[in-house]
């Protein structure tokens, strides 16, 4: 809670223009999304509605109560009583109907609330997963841009060095123009990547609820996920959302089947109480009861016992639906296990490829350094230097992309297992 309040204070300061820049970690970005994201707010309202329905699920057992009052003003003399006196009357009644379906209606509201809680948790996890994936994708894009900037700066320095050599008559005009083209050709690609990063950052701000006027900076790294330990993976099917949903569907179907049986076979009890009194508005008249009674009735449906009745057919159809749901549950358990195994294979492959790409990047860096020294000494041409530089950039980009692939695979595995995000990468 204190952590959330600290983020709010940071945003308030940013909103008052005391700070135009906001730096957030992935955890802080998630907290901001939980506080500001529209999808989260909608999920909260939906859950609140389910909670209200569950709280008053007993209302079908509430008695029906009504009261009435009347005033009668004769416009002519009563032929029998020879009276033209006004009269006043009041009456009231209360009725209650109890059926076995009361239990299933209360149970249904509780199951709907539990389903709503699962849906709410899924909505929050979906937002958090999206925030984490985009956060790391932005880090990857920023790293690629920094790599391109360093490459362009190196090309610029090379061009300036060649320009000095050309002015001293030590380099041909063709080599000078080639180095100039090599430097200037990197600008459009870099500008394009920077524009894409700006657009992605604006969408990310909207996702986590940060004002567009604030300059958002991300604090984090794609490194550290290679510490993933497969031994820490524990499969608990009761934590997996897709399985919990089907289990709740089965419970709901069982409750609906019980409700249909109650309707087809169960008795219902009705009770009512009524009272009425009146008074003639004349001197000496007393207020007298005119009605005071209690009635009870018991109804037992008989057509539900007929095998061709609608109730009997509905029961059989719901039994079939229940069997289908149970089969779906077993199928989903198998699907989840296959998904987990696939994620683990992807993670193993990503970790293995990262080791190979790290070695490739080190070799490419060493090759570039040696080629650059050789070029400066005049023993290698500019084309060799460009090829070495391209190989270095490609090796670094592949390594960073593979790192992001590993991050994504771990996040997907955590989402499937239903464990808190970040637990498997510690």
């Amino acid at each position: 809670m204190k952590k959330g309040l600290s983020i709010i204070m940071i945003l308030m300061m940013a909103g008052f223009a005391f700070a135009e820049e906001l730096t957030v970690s992935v955890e802080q970005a998630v907290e901001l999304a939980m506080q500001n994201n529209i999808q989260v707010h909608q999920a909260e309202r939906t859950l609140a509605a389910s909670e209200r329905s569950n709280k008053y699920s007993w209302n079908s057992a509430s008695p029906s109560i009504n009261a009435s009052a009347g005033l009668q003003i004769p416009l002519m003399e009563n032929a029998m009583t020879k009276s033209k006196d006004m009269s006043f009357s009041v009456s009231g009644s209360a009725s209650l109907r109890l059926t076995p379906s009361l239990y299933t209606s209360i149970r249904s509201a509780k199951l709907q609330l539990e389903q709503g809680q699962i849906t709410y948790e899924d909505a929050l996890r979906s937002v958090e997963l999206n925030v984490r994936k985009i956060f790391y994708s932005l880090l990857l894009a920023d790293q690629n841009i920094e790599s391109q900037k360093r490459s362009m700066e190196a090309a610029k320095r090379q061009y300036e060095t060649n320009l000095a050599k050309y002015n001293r008559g030590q380099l041909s005009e063709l080599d000078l123009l080639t180095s100039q083209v090599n430097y200037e050709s990197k600008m459009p690609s870099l500008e394009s990547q920077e524009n894409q990063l700006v657009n992605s950052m604006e969408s990310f701000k909207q996702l986590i609820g940060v004002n567009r006027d604030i300059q958002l900076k991300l604090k984090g790294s794609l490194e550290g996920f290679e510490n993933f330990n497969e031994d820490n993976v524990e499969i608990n099917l009761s934590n997996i959302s897709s399985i919990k949903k089907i289990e709740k569907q089965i419970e709901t179907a069982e409750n609906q089947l019980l409700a249909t049986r109650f309707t087809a076979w169960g008795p219902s009890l009705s009770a009512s109480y009524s009272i009425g009194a009146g008074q003639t508005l004349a001197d000496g008249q007393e207020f007298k009861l005119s009605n005071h009674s209690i009635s009870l009735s018991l109804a037992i449906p008989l057509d539900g016992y007929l095998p061709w009745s609608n109730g009997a057919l509905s029961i059989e159809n719901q039994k079939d639906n229940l069997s289908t749901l149970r089969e779906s549950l077993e199928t989903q358990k198998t699907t989840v296990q296959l998904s987990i195994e696939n994620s683990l294979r992807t993670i193993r492959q990503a970790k293995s490829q990262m080791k190979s790409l790290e070695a490739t990047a080190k070799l490419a860096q060493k090759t570039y350094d040696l080629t650059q020294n050789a070029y400066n000494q005049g023993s290698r041409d500019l084309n060799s230097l460009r090829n070495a530089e391209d190989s270095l950039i490609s090796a670094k980009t592949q390594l960073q992309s593979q790192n992001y692939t590993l991050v994504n695979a771990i996040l997907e595995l955590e989402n499937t297992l239903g464990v808190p995000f970040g637990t498997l990468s510690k």
Side-chain angles (χ1 to χ4, degrees):
M1 184 65 181
K2 292 181 179 179
K3 192 175 181 181
L5 290 175
S6 65
I7 294 176
I8 295 176
M9 292 300 296
I10 292 173
L11 286 178
M12 289 177 63
M13 292 176 63
F16 286 112
F18 290 110
E20 296 180 355
E21 182 178 290
L22 176 63
T23 301
V24 296
S25 65
V26 64
E27 300 297 338
Q28 291 171 328
V30 169
E31 284 200 36
L32 287 171
M34 294 300 107
Q35 296 166 7
N36 304 316
N37 186 267
I38 294 177
Q39 185 179 346
V40 172
H41 293 166
Q42 292 173 344
E44 289 172 348
R45 288 193 293 270
T46 302
L47 179 61
S50 298
E51 290 174 342
R52 285 193 299 270
S53 298
N54 179 66
K55 183 178 180 180
Y56 299 109
S57 59
W58 52 267
N59 58 9
S60 61
S62 178
S64 176
I65 303 173
N66 64 73
S68 62
L71 177 65
Q72 186 176 18
I73 304 175
L75 299 179
M76 59 181 292
E77 185 179 271
N78 190 303
M80 296 182 64
T81 62
K82 306 298 182 181
S83 172
K84 295 180 63 176
D85 296 331
M86 293 186 297
S87 61
F88 175 73
S89 64
V90 293
S91 64
S93 65
S95 62
L96 177 66
R97 186 171 184 268
L98 297 176
T99 67
S101 298
L102 174 62
Y103 165 78
T104 54
S105 64
I106 295 175
R107 175 66 175 160
S108 176
K110 184 175 184 298
L111 289 172
Q112 287 178 3
L113 174 59
E114 292 171 353
Q115 286 180 321
Q117 290 170 337
I118 295 174
T119 302
Y120 173 72
E121 292 170 1
D122 282 351
L124 265 57
R125 287 186 67 83
S126 175
V127 171
E128 182 173 355
L129 178 63
N130 198 21
V131 169
R132 289 178 180 272
K133 282 187 173 183
I134 295 178
F135 183 93
Y136 289 115
S137 71
L138 292 173
L139 287 181
L140 174 63
D142 188 60
Q143 289 181 4
N144 288 336
I145 288 174
E146 288 301 318
S147 178
Q148 292 292 335
K149 283 182 178 179
R150 289 193 295 270
S151 174
M152 190 174 73
E153 289 170 358
K156 181 181 179 181
R157 290 193 299 270
Q158 192 64 57
Y159 165 67
E160 291 172 347
T161 300
N162 288 349
L163 180 61
K165 289 182 178 180
Y166 174 77
N167 291 333
R168 294 194 301 266
Q170 298 175 342
L171 192 72
S172 67
E173 183 179 4
L174 179 60
D175 287 341
L176 174 64
L177 292 175
T178 301
S179 63
Q180 182 180 4
V181 170
N182 180 44
Y183 160 58
E184 294 178 348
S185 64
K186 296 180 181 296
M187 293 182 183
S189 175
L190 179 60
E191 290 176 353
S192 176
Q193 291 184 45
E194 288 177 334
N195 289 335
Q196 290 177 5
L197 179 59
V198 170
N199 294 335
S200 299
M201 187 66 76
E202 291 301 316
S203 299
F204 186 65
K205 287 180 184 178
Q206 183 179 6
L207 176 63
I208 64 176
V210 172
N211 194 296
R212 289 185 59 192
D213 297 331
I214 296 176
Q215 183 179 359
L216 187 65
K217 288 194 173 182
L218 308 183
K219 179 178 65 178
S221 172
L222 289 169
E223 298 177 357
F225 288 86
E226 64 276 6
N227 297 327
F228 170 85
N229 187 352
E230 191 172 331
D231 294 335
N232 295 331
V233 176
E234 296 181 0
I235 302 176
N236 186 355
L237 296 180
S238 62
N239 288 335
I240 296 175
S241 174
S242 58
I243 292 178
K244 289 194 294 185
K245 283 182 177 179
I246 299 179
E247 288 176 340
K248 287 303 172 187
Q249 289 176 4
I250 291 175
E251 290 185 58
T252 300
E254 289 173 341
N255 187 65
Q256 290 174 345
L257 176 58
L258 181 59
T260 303
R261 283 171 169 163
F262 281 157
T263 301
W265 303 331
S268 61
L269 174 65
S270 299
S272 64
Y273 167 76
S274 63
I275 185 172
Q279 179 184 20
T280 301
L281 300 181
D283 295 338
Q285 295 291 329
E286 295 182 358
F287 201 71
K288 297 180 180 180
L289 288 176
S290 60
N291 177 38
H292 192 203
S293 64
I294 295 177
S295 65
L296 299 172
S297 65
L298 179 67
I300 301 177
L302 298 178
D303 56 348
Y305 293 91
L306 302 175
W308 56 83
S309 66
N310 290 333
L313 293 175
S314 179
I315 289 172
E316 294 303 317
N317 291 337
Q318 290 183 34
K319 285 181 179 179
D320 293 339
N321 180 53
L322 196 53
S323 298
T324 301
L325 286 174
R326 289 183 176 128
E327 292 170 351
S328 298
L329 176 61
E330 296 305 316
T331 301
Q332 184 61 29
K333 288 179 179 179
T334 303
T335 301
V336 167
Q337 290 173 342
L338 291 175
S339 177
I340 293 172
E341 292 172 3
N342 183 56
S343 294
L344 289 173
R345 283 193 294 269
T346 302
I347 292 171
R348 294 189 205 107
Q349 182 180 6
K351 290 179 66 176
S352 175
Q353 290 182 351
M354 279 184 62
K355 293 179 180 179
S356 174
L357 290 172
E358 286 173 354
T360 301
K362 289 180 181 179
L363 178 60
Q365 182 69 57
K366 187 174 183 179
T367 301
Y368 174 75
D369 293 339
L370 293 174
T371 304
Q372 188 177 43
N373 291 334
Y375 175 79
N376 292 335
Q377 294 172 6
S379 60
R380 301 296 292 271
D381 58 14
L382 183 59
N383 188 49
S384 298
L385 180 62
R386 288 182 62 182
N387 290 336
E389 181 188 23
D390 291 340
S391 297
L392 176 60
I393 294 175
S394 176
K396 287 183 176 181
T397 301
Q398 289 179 14
L399 177 59
Q400 292 164 355
S401 298
Q402 192 62 35
N403 218 334
Y404 179 67
T405 299
L406 176 61
V407 172
N408 256 1
I410 293 176
L411 289 174
E412 286 291 348
L413 179 59
E414 290 173 335
N415 188 51
T416 301
L417 292 173
V419 299
F421 290 105
T423 56
L424 297 181
S425 56
K426 292 181 180 179

